Amino acid sequence: MPKVFHLLCLLLCAFVFPVTAQTLTAAYYCPPCNQRCDDNSFTAAGTCPHCGMTLITQAEAAQAKAKAVKPLTILFYLQDGVEVLDFAGPMEVFAYAGFKIATVSKTTDPILSQGILKIIPDYSIANAPQADIVAFFGGSSSAPADDTAVLHWLQKKQAPTYYFSVCTGAFVLGKAGFLDHQTATTFHARIDNLRKALPKTKVLSGVRYVDNGRVITTAGISAGIDGALHLVAKIYNKAVATQVAQYMEYDKWVPDQGLVVQPGH
Amino acid sequence: MPKVFHLLCLLLCAFVFPVTAQTLTAAYYCPPCNQRCDDNSFTAAGTCPHCGMTLITQAEAAQAKAKAVKPLTILFYLQDGVEVLDFAGPMEVFAYAGFKIATVSKTTDPILSQGILKIIPDYSIANAPQADIVAFFGGSSSAPADDTAVLHWLQKKQAPTYYFSVCTGAFVLGKAGFLDHQTATTFHARIDNLRKALPKTKVLSGVRYVDNGRVITTAGISAGIDGALHLVAKIYNKAVATQVAQYMEYDKWVPDQGLVVQPGH
């Protein structure tokens, strides 16, 4: 009996319990999830017994870890009247992907999202920090799009790696000049308006998001979730984005449903 | 040329512009959307040129209008730490369906949704009005679920037509006794916890929402959108819910994906 017990323990150690790279050659890792299992490694494919995420390969883990050393920062610009799901969907996605999120508005006075939700912005455009991503959303988006102070802040005070918009947030990026000679999309009922407002932009309908490399625009309201998952997949990898989608029970996600514009096109 | 212009005007008036019931026998109407086109009627099927919603028949319009005379009221209970998409998805749905939405928390002090979004609740439990629907959401939901003052408010001060929960918001409804001898669901990672916490409740996994008639619970985070659309379809009709889903570009919606518990089961 003790021998059987010993054998069982060995089997458990070899196939079930997490092991360190020092004791066995690990081939599978937990994707970065900002929990203690980030350091665990495994000898077989499967799910992490701590966080439940699907294990990834050593190469994927190294890539994700390199990018995860310093959490990416994202500024959500929330104007008075901003559509609630436009920003809340991406906020959920980016939060679970480990991004550091802050909100910004023209001032730090409370704003009313969709005429319902009272929000206190973290920053005004006068004191907002630099961010890796700056994001704009629909719902009264003509206010920031027509505000020279906001456009100046975006053009001169921010130099993000990515610009991201949901719904009619595309009008803000467009008015600031970031959609010139780019392909873009917006809320289905405002496609023609965006075409008229931005003659230098190729505006597409019937696409969930458009990724030009640095500038990503999405279709309306709920499409922001898909665009955010795409950006997570682009920055980390599809496995991490899939885990986020599964965690938030967005099992309806269809990766690659948007358009990624190839350089030179 | 003037004759051609006149003819064109007549054609436009007959087939494109909205007409009143007094001038032509209208057969199609704009679904209630709380905009000025609510009063428009049309002679042919199609979409409303103002709000973009698909026109509905006279019978559907009459039914929707009868129910829309007095907008339904819904209280969103938002505790500190509430998950942002849990409540924002249903908020988007109910707002477009014409519900009157207010937020409530234990006090009116600002709360921090998911550690990110600063929100000022409209009401505290001391001054919140009666509502047709009271809704609870996940994210630190053990705070209201274990708070006797909140449970007392829910049990004694509210008598809504419907109770609605998303994700671990089900724990609040359960602790208040509203899930006794009911079928329910919750966030996928908390199914077993809910079973242990509520021995008198049949807890299901793998279902998007469960509707017991008066009490509706949904699965995690993004499933709140589906549960809210179901409640809109139940209160109005599936055509109205479909319009809301199309408006918010939630084209992934699969109606009837949840479980409606039949009386006596």
Side-chain angles (χ1 to χ4, degrees):
Chain A
M1 189 66 179
K3 271 186 186 170
V4 175
F5 181 71
H6 192 205
L7 186 63
L8 273 172
C9 282
L10 277 175
L11 282 167
L12 276 169
C13 288
F15 296 109
V16 179
F17 291 157
V19 292
T20 65
Q22 284 72 38
T23 56
L24 276 172
T25 306
Y28 295 93
Y29 296 80
C30 177
C33 62
N34 293 324
Q35 297 182 61
R36 66 174 187 270
C37 49
D38 276 2
D39 294 329
N40 289 349
S41 54
F42 303 81
T43 53
T47 56
C48 171
H50 181 253
C51 71
M53 294 173 83
T54 302
L55 302 177
I56 56 178
T57 64
Q58 195 163 17
E60 289 170 334
Q63 190 189 5
K65 209 160 189 173
K67 288 178 177 168
V69 172
K70 188 173 169 281
L72 287 177
T73 56
I74 179 163
L75 276 177
F76 277 54
Y77 188 96
L78 304 182
Q79 66 278 5
D80 192 57
V82 67
E83 191 93 7
V84 71
L85 185 53
D86 274 36
F87 74 82
M91 190 173 276
E92 181 79 37
V93 171
F94 291 128
Y96 268 103
F99 291 48
K100 199 176 164 194
I101 302 170
T103 57
V104 57
S105 197
K106 188 167 183 187
T107 71
T108 51
D109 290 343
I111 61 121
L112 201 57
S113 171
Q114 215 159 328
I116 301 166
L117 190 71
K118 290 192 193 82
I119 296 168
I120 307 171
D122 297 319
Y123 297 104
S124 71
I125 55 172
N127 68 359
Q130 285 276 331
D132 298 311
I133 307 164
V134 180
F136 290 87
F137 307 93
S140 306
S141 58
S142 60
D146 294 338
D147 190 324
T148 51
V150 176
L151 297 180
H152 181 267
W153 168 76
L154 181 58
Q155 291 160 329
K156 305 290 181 189
K157 303 290 179 188
Q158 288 288 328
T161 309
Y162 301 105
Y163 298 94
F164 182 80
S165 75
V166 175
C167 204
T168 55
F171 284 82
V172 190
L173 294 183
K175 287 291 186 75
F178 297 115
L179 292 178
D180 287 359
H181 315 296
Q182 303 278 295
T183 306
T185 193
T186 187
F187 182 50
H188 65 277
R190 293 293 176 272
I191 293 285
D192 284 343
N193 306 61
L194 193 65
R195 282 186 183 134
K196 282 174 196 157
L198 307 176
K200 294 178 188 166
T201 305
K202 184 179 178 183
V203 179
L204 299 181
S205 63
V207 63
R208 203 85 179 137
Y209 59 82
V210 178
D211 175 1
N212 296 275
R214 190 180 184 193
V215 185
I216 296 103
T217 57
T218 85
I221 309 179
S222 70
I225 302 174
D226 302 59
L229 285 167
H230 167 74
L231 191 48
V232 169
K234 177 187 171 94
I235 292 172
Y236 295 100
N237 56 56
K238 204 180 281 183
V240 173
T242 302
Q243 296 296 342
V244 173
Q246 286 172 351
Y247 185 85
M248 57 194 274
E249 303 200 21
Y250 193 57
D251 48 357
K252 299 162 194 285
W253 184 45
V254 182
D256 308 323
Q257 206 177 21
L259 171 70
V260 178
V261 179
Q262 299 306 315
H265 288 81
Chain B
M1 188 66 177
K3 272 187 186 170
V4 176
F5 180 71
H6 193 204
L7 186 64
L8 273 171
C9 282
L10 278 174
L11 281 167
L12 276 169
C13 288
F15 297 108
V16 179
F17 290 159
V19 291
T20 65
Q22 284 70 40
T23 56
L24 275 171
T25 307
Y28 295 92
Y29 295 80
C30 177
C33 62
N34 292 324
Q35 297 181 64
R36 66 175 188 271
C37 48
D38 275 1
D39 294 328
N40 289 348
S41 54
F42 303 81
T43 54
T47 55
C48 171
H50 181 252
C51 70
M53 293 173 85
T54 302
L55 302 176
I56 56 178
T57 64
Q58 196 162 17
E60 289 169 335
Q63 191 187 4
K65 210 162 188 172
K67 288 180 177 167
V69 172
K70 187 173 172 281
L72 287 177
T73 56
I74 179 163
L75 276 178
F76 276 54
Y77 188 96
L78 304 182
Q79 67 278 7
D80 192 56
V82 66
E83 191 93 5
V84 69
L85 186 54
D86 275 34
F87 74 83
M91 190 173 275
E92 181 78 37
V93 170
F94 291 128
Y96 269 102
F99 290 48
K100 199 175 162 193
I101 301 169
T103 58
V104 57
S105 196
K106 186 165 184 189
T107 71
T108 51
D109 291 342
I111 59 120
L112 201 57
S113 170
Q114 214 159 329
I116 301 166
L117 190 71
K118 289 191 194 81
I119 296 169
I120 306 170
D122 296 321
Y123 297 105
S124 71
I125 56 171
N127 68 358
Q130 285 277 330
D132 298 311
I133 308 164
V134 180
F136 290 88
F137 307 93
S140 307
S141 58
S142 60
D146 294 338
D147 190 324
T148 51
V150 176
L151 297 181
H152 181 266
W153 168 77
L154 182 58
Q155 290 160 331
K156 305 291 178 188
K157 303 290 180 187
Q158 288 288 326
T161 310
Y162 301 105
Y163 298 94
F164 182 81
S165 75
V166 176
C167 204
T168 56
F171 283 83
V172 190
L173 294 183
K175 287 290 185 75
F178 297 114
L179 291 179
D180 287 359
H181 314 295
Q182 302 280 294
T183 306
T185 194
T186 187
F187 182 51
H188 65 277
R190 293 291 176 274
I191 292 285
D192 285 342
N193 306 61
L194 193 65
R195 281 186 184 135
K196 282 173 196 158
L198 307 177
K200 294 178 189 167
T201 305
K202 184 179 177 184
V203 179
L204 299 182
S205 62
V207 63
R208 203 84 181 137
Y209 59 82
V210 178
D211 175 0
N212 295 276
R214 190 180 184 193
V215 185
I216 296 103
T217 56
T218 85
I221 310 180
S222 70
I225 302 174
D226 302 58
L229 286 167
H230 166 74
L231 191 50
V232 169
K234 177 187 172 94
I235 292 171
Y236 295 98
N237 56 55
K238 204 180 280 182
V240 173
T242 302
Q243 297 296 342
V244 173
Q246 286 172 350
Y247 186 85
M248 57 193 276
E249 302 200 22
Y250 193 57
D251 49 357
K252 300 161 194 288
W253 185 44
V254 182
D256 308 322
Q257 206 177 21
L259 171 70
V260 178
V261 180
Q262 299 304 317
H265 289 79

